[in-house]
Amino acid sequence: MANPDTTTTTAPATTAPPGPTHYTCVNSGACEPCADTEKAQPYCQDGPPSNGDRWLLAAYKQPVACAWDAGVARAYRDSHDLPRYVACDLADLGRRAFFRNQLVFVFLGLAAFVLYLWRRRRLASAANYSAVQ
């Protein structure tokens, strides 16, 4: 199974010189919203990623640290920039939202249980007080 934090991308065939043109990127931060000035950038657009297995979330970007793979021609590296951001993966955001919701539900459940115990104790003390009189 592939490491989800590593993305290997191939440059388009029309701009690639002969030989390997690969680079490897590793996620280096959390997803963040794209600024209004970045909406036209490829990493802020909807659509499937290059490997086609997951859909990306529009208007969110994730910082990455990329490095050229071995064997990439120096002239090609000098004339092309490595990406600094990639589009956020819906699965990553969904996973975070799931655990955030679970945490909220656990907190609400504990608060309801504490309220139940407090009310039960209060009613028991009120019943004891009325039985004494």
Side-chain angles (χ1 to χ4, degrees):
M1 184 168 154
N3 183 354
D5 290 338
T6 303
T7 305
T8 301
T9 308
T10 305
T14 57
T15 61
T21 57
H22 299 287
Y23 54 88
T24 303
C25 295
V26 177
N27 296 342
S28 63
C31 290
E32 55 193 50
C34 293
D36 289 336
T37 57
E38 296 177 309
K39 298 293 183 187
Q41 296 295 330
Y43 52 79
C44 289
Q45 303 292 318
D46 244 344
S50 58
N51 60 3
D53 64 349
R54 291 184 174 175
W55 279 86
L56 305 175
L57 184 63
Y60 281 87
K61 62 184 179 181
Q62 185 171 23
V64 292
C66 297
W68 292 107
D69 291 343
V72 178
R74 183 162 185 80
Y76 184 78
R77 286 185 296 180
D78 292 342
S79 64
H80 292 80
D81 294 327
L82 290 171
R84 295 184 342 190
Y85 295 98
V86 295
C88 285
D89 191 340
L90 281 176
D92 293 338
L93 289 176
R95 193 175 308 116
R96 273 187 243 145
F98 172 78
F99 286 113
R100 183 190 64 227
N101 289 343
Q102 291 299 321
L103 181 64
V104 168
F105 292 144
V106 166
F107 176 75
L108 289 175
L110 287 174
F113 185 68
V114 167
L115 183 65
Y116 164 75
L117 291 176
W118 174 77
R119 183 163 168 78
R120 191 173 93 176
R121 181 180 294 163
R122 185 171 169 209
L123 289 173
S125 67
N128 288 340
Y129 178 74
S130 64
V132 171
Q133 290 182 350

